[in-house]
Amino acid sequence: MSRISIDQVKHVAHLARLAMTEEETVSYTEQLDKMISFAELLNELDTDHVEPTSHVLDMKNVLREDKANKGLPQAEVLKNAPEHQDGYIKVPSIIE
Amino acid sequence: MVSLFDHKVSELHQLLHKKEITVTDLVSESYKRIGEVEDKVQAFLTLDEERARQAAKRMDGKLGTDEAKGLLFGMPIGVKDNIVTKGLRTTSASKILENFDPIYDATAASKLHNAETITIGKLNMDEFAMGSSNENSGFQVTRNPWNLERVPGGSSGGSAASVAAGEVLFSLGSDTGGSIRQPASYCGVVGLKPTYGRVSRFGLIAFASSLDQIGPITRTVEDNAYLLQAISGVDPMDSTSANVEVPSYAESLNGDVKGLRIAVPKEYLAEGVNEEVRQSVLEALKVLEKLGATWEEVSLPHSKYALATYYLLSSSEASANLARFDGVRYGYRTADPENLIDLYKKTRAEGFGDEVKRRIMLGTFALSSGYYDAYYKKAQKVRTLIKQDFENVFEKYDVIIGPTAPTPAFKIGENTSDPLTMYANDILTIPVNLAGVPGISVPCGFADGLPLGLQIIGKHFDESTVYRVAHAFEQATEYHKQKPGL
């Protein structure tokens, strides 16, 4: 029994914003199934009373003085944009 | 073959000071060697020769003055291509960033500028640092200078190979699950992953933010300590960089390991570790014993869960970090998209390589509604257990020692068919990232002409002890003096 279905893989690919052919969907279903089954090794461990670690150092909120710093110049920022016009980054129309 | 880079940083500094050599000589040494061997090694993605030579010329005018006093003044360095460098193409070895021209410097790169090293070029890697062989680069496969049919390791394969091949004096790499230490081991050089938070990650193209660290790759432990010194410290641009004092690392290189307590995890010499690798570690322990250290076998009981924990956490973090590559603000954009969603999807499908997509898929799945607790949160909890394993051992011992990798460098193409076999290569380095502690790989032997690495792991922010042990071992052995016969 597969741990993940083709429909689930299509859903995950959509969430990840990855275009995928039917063939690739089948291949990713197999690959993800293998990786998930490998990850299930962790279920051997009882972790009910274990705190999760998101950060290894004992750090609290890091604050800085609320002072404005100069941003990057607009022309520089636009330099790497694939398409731009009048100081804006251009994308396909999103309102019909 | 004699090279200027056979000298240590401190010796080259003296030669510059006495004007026996010039900065131009050092830079020329790099490009001359690159000219000789780069078509075989293929470590570089971008060279910066014109600017490097100009800088060298300018700096030669300062020789003999107070302005040339810095120890790293004029030293030629290579930088891994996931560390952004202003005005110098930075791709992270991905087609999606093929023409990316950074508009600012990573903090590590600006610290190099302050130290006045000279950047020779940008080094190949696995795409977005995801891989253990450099075979996942979007552009080329770097070769191991010791045997051109073998991988240099990864993901900082270009960083390790370029140092081993004598193309640069030293380099910067990054390490998320072993990406500095494993290639250092495979290429017979010294590579350190610092404590999480020791070096600013600002400008390091993020793979897994809770694990990534930039670190130095060098020929000797002493040079490694000097390079770490230059890039360490808290940074207002990275709130995860630690506000912990940076000691003088060179001062710890006193050769004294008398009374040092070494822990050797039985899991690190268990099944799956190549016999010659195991023997080299046992020999290394004898060397350290002779110098006055003692060792005992210990257990890191959750080691076998580290790999699965790592792949869930690092892939989850990667899926979030790589969301920024969408073809809008920078990088590759697909031609003729139907609408905005189509632009995102096609750009990413065309721009990312297979391994990167595989990890984005796994990470997106592990973070998705209904699976978050079972996979992502579960892995975060197991991470706590793995971290506690280290804390327990460090209550009684100063360092943990084992192999860096279970085998010497494998053949190109040998492990590409099954991702899980490839991942198993990092089994001895991954727990160190999960615990956030520092670890170094130093040369400790050869198997069939291929270098082996000894891994020395320390407590949080105790790079000094790690260096002290690594240096004492290095000075008592000859392995680091050998060079590949390119």
Side-chain angles (χ1 to χ4, degrees):
Chain A
M1 225 310 265
S2 181
R3 283 163 187 80
I4 185 164
S5 67
I6 288 186
D7 283 345
Q8 273 175 299
V9 168
K10 284 182 180 166
H11 174 63
V12 171
H14 172 70
L15 291 175
R17 300 290 186 263
L18 283 171
M20 215 171 261
T21 63
E22 281 298 321
E23 232 175 43
E24 284 173 323
T25 312
V26 174
S27 157
Y28 274 106
T29 306
E30 278 171 31
Q31 293 180 48
L32 277 183
D33 183 58
K34 256 196 200 172
M35 292 167 85
I36 294 162
S37 106
F38 172 64
E40 283 177 351
L41 176 71
L42 303 188
N43 293 339
E44 286 179 18
L45 293 168
D46 176 2
T47 52
D48 284 354
H49 304 289
V50 179
E51 284 295 313
T53 293
S54 55
H55 190 82
V56 284
L57 304 176
D58 191 22
M59 282 171 102
K60 296 285 180 298
N61 289 338
V62 178
L63 302 174
R64 62 163 173 81
E65 209 185 328
D66 187 13
K67 208 178 80 192
N69 284 323
K70 228 177 150 190
L72 293 159
Q74 191 186 46
E76 282 285 287
V77 173
L78 289 173
K79 198 170 70 175
N80 280 294
E83 218 182 325
H84 61 91
Q85 189 185 326
D86 307 330
Y88 293 93
I89 288 166
K90 214 173 158 186
V91 293
S93 161
I94 48 170
I95 301 165
E96 297 290 313
Chain B
M1 173 163 187
V2 183
S3 158
L4 275 178
F5 302 154
D6 294 341
H7 294 286
K8 295 186 295 185
V9 165
S10 52
E11 294 165 351
L12 291 172
H13 179 68
Q14 277 305 314
L15 292 172
L16 285 173
H17 181 70
K18 289 189 257 171
K19 295 195 184 177
E20 286 178 26
I21 59 166
T22 62
V23 178
T24 298
D25 292 338
L26 290 172
V27 168
S28 296
E29 179 78 43
S30 262
Y31 290 112
K32 187 186 92 194
R33 186 68 176 156
I34 288 168
E36 287 163 4
V37 299
E38 180 61 9
D39 61 329
K40 290 185 243 172
V41 180
Q42 298 187 50
F44 283 90
L45 290 175
T46 308
L47 292 171
D48 201 19
E49 183 162 358
E50 206 185 309
R51 283 201 299 185
R53 287 193 183 276
Q54 278 168 5
K57 217 171 171 184
R58 202 171 55 239
M59 290 167 78
D60 277 336
K62 296 183 184 176
L63 283 179
T65 73
D66 277 0
E67 285 181 78
K69 268 197 168 157
L71 192 61
L72 300 186
F73 180 91
M75 303 291 162
I77 193 164
V79 177
K80 187 175 179 180
D81 209 28
N82 59 353
I83 297 169
V84 301
T85 42
K86 190 176 177 181
L88 180 57
R89 187 177 84 120
T90 300
T91 68
S92 221
S94 180
K95 295 255 192 250
I96 212 160
L97 284 177
E98 188 160 7
N99 298 310
F100 182 61
D101 182 12
I103 55 178
Y104 59 85
D105 269 322
T107 297
S110 37
K111 280 177 178 275
L112 291 181
H113 283 306
N114 293 342
E116 296 186 89
T117 60
I118 296 187
T119 302
I120 296 301
K122 301 300 292 288
L123 292 158
N124 194 28
M125 51 186 280
D126 289 290
E127 183 179 3
F128 288 110
M130 297 176 188
S132 315
S133 69
N134 268 36
E135 291 164 295
N136 296 336
S137 166
F139 303 112
Q140 66 201 34
V141 181
T142 299
R143 315 254 157 177
N144 191 313
W146 293 87
N147 181 332
L148 298 170
E149 284 166 24
R150 305 266 167 170
V151 302
S155 65
S156 312
S159 300
S162 59
V163 174
E167 296 180 308
V168 284
L169 177 62
F170 48 24
S171 67
L172 290 186
S174 71
D175 190 316
T176 305
S179 282
I180 287 174
R181 291 158 288 156
Q182 184 254 25
S185 170
Y186 283 7
C187 293
V189 292
V190 181
L192 176 102
K193 182 204 88 76
T195 306
Y196 183 81
R198 177 78 298 176
V199 178
S200 168
R201 293 184 296 108
F202 178 71
L204 172 66
I205 297 172
F207 161 17
S209 308
S210 81
L211 302 159
D212 297 341
Q213 266 293 287
I214 295 172
I217 296 181
T218 56
R219 287 252 190 104
T220 65
V221 175
E222 186 184 303
D223 286 1
N224 207 281
Y226 286 133
L227 188 50
L228 180 66
Q229 195 81 45
I231 60 169
S232 290
V234 67
D235 175 16
M237 300 301 276
D238 173 9
S239 59
T240 65
S241 66
N243 195 1
V244 174
E245 200 196 337
V246 183
S248 164
Y249 294 120
E251 273 178 29
S252 65
L253 309 177
N254 58 14
D256 183 10
V257 293
K258 275 197 194 71
L260 182 92
R261 297 161 303 171
I262 301 169
V264 180
K266 61 177 186 207
E267 293 83 3
Y268 285 28
L269 293 174
E271 205 184 329
V273 175
N274 169 303
E275 188 52 34
E276 282 157 307
V277 170
R278 192 200 321 262
Q279 284 309 323
S280 74
V281 171
L282 294 173
E283 286 298 318
L285 289 168
K286 279 186 200 159
V287 171
L288 289 166
E289 265 183 327
K290 265 196 194 151
L291 296 170
T294 57
W295 70 272
E296 285 178 314
E297 191 178 273
V298 299
S299 176
L300 296 169
H302 295 94
S303 296
K304 74 168 192 177
Y305 304 104
L307 202 55
T309 303
Y310 173 81
Y311 278 95
L312 285 171
L313 295 180
S314 65
S315 301
S316 297
E317 293 184 28
S319 74
N321 276 326
L322 271 58
R324 69 186 57 146
F325 302 104
D326 56 7
V328 174
R329 289 152 300 160
Y330 40 72
Y332 172 80
R333 180 186 282 194
T334 189
D336 304 318
E338 284 168 31
N339 51 44
L340 188 60
I341 288 272
D342 191 51
L343 179 149
Y344 296 148
K345 288 187 173 179
K346 281 189 183 145
T347 293
R348 290 162 62 79
E350 292 160 15
F352 290 138
D354 284 346
E355 182 63 24
V356 172
K357 287 189 216 173
R358 192 156 37 234
R359 297 205 200 186
I360 290 174
M361 288 294 287
L362 176 65
T364 306
F365 171 76
L367 290 175
S368 66
S369 169
Y371 298 95
Y372 179 91
D373 283 348
Y375 296 103
Y376 181 69
K377 201 166 177 192
K378 179 82 186 182
Q380 281 193 313
K381 287 179 165 195
V382 180
R383 182 174 185 181
T384 303
L385 298 174
I386 291 164
K387 191 177 159 229
Q388 284 168 354
D389 280 357
F390 281 87
E391 287 164 0
N392 291 340
V393 168
F394 280 133
E395 275 177 22
K396 276 184 67 185
Y397 300 90
D398 302 306
V399 290
I400 296 171
I401 287 184
T404 305
T407 65
F410 48 89
K411 282 193 181 131
I412 291 168
E414 192 176 322
N415 287 337
T416 40
S417 57
D418 180 12
L420 289 174
T421 317
M422 185 70 99
Y423 298 169
N425 244 283
D426 298 330
I427 200 148
L428 304 169
T429 45
I430 278 172
V432 173
N433 299 75
L434 290 171
V437 292
I440 200 169
S441 179
V442 284
C444 73
F446 291 88
D448 298 326
L450 297 167
L452 304 174
L454 183 73
Q455 186 175 209
I456 304 165
I457 302 161
K459 299 171 191 173
H460 282 140
F461 298 105
D462 195 14
E463 281 82 2
S464 291
T465 302
V466 171
Y467 277 139
R468 181 159 56 90
V469 180
H471 179 254
F473 174 75
E474 176 193 69
Q475 294 305 304
T477 54
E478 299 283 320
Y479 307 117
H480 66 289
K481 291 186 180 157
Q482 304 214 29
K483 293 200 291 181
L486 261 179

